[in-house]
Amino acid sequence: MRRHRRIRARITGNAARPRLAVFRSNKHMYAQLIDDEKGHVLASFSDMNFKAKEKKGEISKEIGKRIAQAAKDQKIGAIVFDRSGYKYHGHVKVLAEEIRSQGIEF
């Protein structure tokens, strides 16, 4: 929790460059595009939105695709990546790389 607070003290997003917040639980993964100045969530996806049972890596990739598409629909080309204190490894890395491959800049 201390690590997360320390990171959040330095990372903020705005309408032009929103913050991509990632949360992992033991069962699920969530990603949100947030405008911190207004306090609005611009887009949100989780693996609970999908009905198909797939491997977690595949689900992380699909969440990344959908977040990137939502950002493109709102004409957002760059984001601030908030990994919430999780290591840049595994599912968090797959999500980030998929968003980058869709043309969104970090």
Side-chain angles (χ1 to χ4, degrees):
M1 290 177 70
R2 275 191 248 158
R3 184 183 317 135
H4 180 69
R5 275 184 292 186
R6 186 174 60 238
I7 291 168
R8 276 291 294 125
R10 288 182 266 158
I11 296 175
T12 58
N14 53 32
R17 192 174 174 127
R19 177 171 57 97
L20 173 67
V22 176
F23 176 74
R24 278 187 326 136
S25 70
N26 289 335
K27 291 185 177 183
H28 301 289
M29 185 164 197
Y30 308 85
Q32 296 178 328
L33 287 175
I34 303 169
D35 177 4
D36 288 318
E37 290 178 347
K38 293 182 181 176
H40 291 152
V41 175
L42 305 174
S44 174
F45 288 101
S46 73
D47 60 352
M48 298 171 84
N49 298 87
F50 312 128
K51 293 183 181 177
K53 296 285 183 179
E54 297 177 5
K55 293 184 178 182
K56 285 188 177 182
E58 303 281 328
I59 291 172
S60 299
K61 196 176 248 191
E62 187 63 32
I63 292 171
K65 263 186 214 171
R66 293 192 184 191
I67 282 285
Q69 187 59 46
K72 286 180 186 176
D73 291 345
Q74 296 181 21
K75 298 181 180 151
I76 297 169
I79 60 172
V80 177
F81 187 56
D82 177 12
R83 56 186 173 81
S84 302
Y86 302 115
K87 289 184 179 180
Y88 187 77
H89 184 316
H91 304 301
V92 175
K93 184 177 180 180
V94 169
L95 175 83
E97 287 178 351
E98 183 60 34
I99 294 171
R100 277 193 187 107
S101 72
Q102 298 291 322
I104 305 297
E105 183 183 321
F106 282 45

